Amino acid sequence: MSENYAAPNQQRYLRACMVCSIVMTLARFRDEGCPNCEEFLHLQGSPDQIDSCTSQVFEGLITVAHPSKSWVAKWQRIDKYVRGVYATKVSGQLPDDVRATIEEELGQVYIPRDGTVTDADQ
């Protein structure tokens, strides 16, 4: 993975993955896909999939250099992901078919990154 840096003139092209909340430019999602979720989101080379599974509307940024050692990464549930820049909240609804893939085929519980689900709800 190349460096996760966005120049000031590229910030309007930033998007956040609705599953893992990593923040990258639209071009990086198109060229590389999501480094954490590519196996089931299939974002690489798919503008429609990028549009439906990432969001331009997000809050807060966290830079994580050592995800497995960071208490903030653990608190945000990103401690098993690659290092990079992550949003604290990501607005948007993941498509039902993608949500079903995560929950049924991968056997994982999807937790929205928009702040609607708290630890008490789990």
Side-chain angles (χ1 to χ4, degrees), residues 11-16 18 26 51 54-59 90-91:
Q11 290 179 352
R12 75 175 73 165
Y13 304 110
L14 292 177
R15 298 186 71 87
M18 288 187 210
L26 176 63
D51 217 27
T54 67
S55 176
Q56 288 181 300
V57 183
F58 55 87
E59 295 178 26
V90 181
S91 297

Side-chain angles (χ1 to χ4, degrees), residues 27-88:
R28 282 202 52 210
F29 275 117
R30 184 189 63 236
D31 296 344
E32 301 172 21
C34 178
N36 301 308
C37 310
E38 189 59 23
E39 66 182 73
F40 56 90
L41 287 184
H42 311 291
L43 301 180
Q44 189 174 10
S46 178
D48 292 338
Q49 197 70 353
I50 292 168
D51 217 27
S52 61
C53 297
T54 67
S55 176
Q56 288 181 300
V57 183
F58 55 87
E59 295 178 26
L61 294 174
I62 301 168
T63 301
V64 182
H66 302 286
S68 63
K69 297 178 182 179
S70 169
W71 69 267
V72 175
K74 186 174 183 176
W75 173 62
Q76 284 292 121
R77 296 182 306 275
I78 58 175
D79 55 322
K80 303 281 191 267
Y81 296 148
V82 301
R83 67 184 194 175
V85 177
Y86 291 84
T88 56

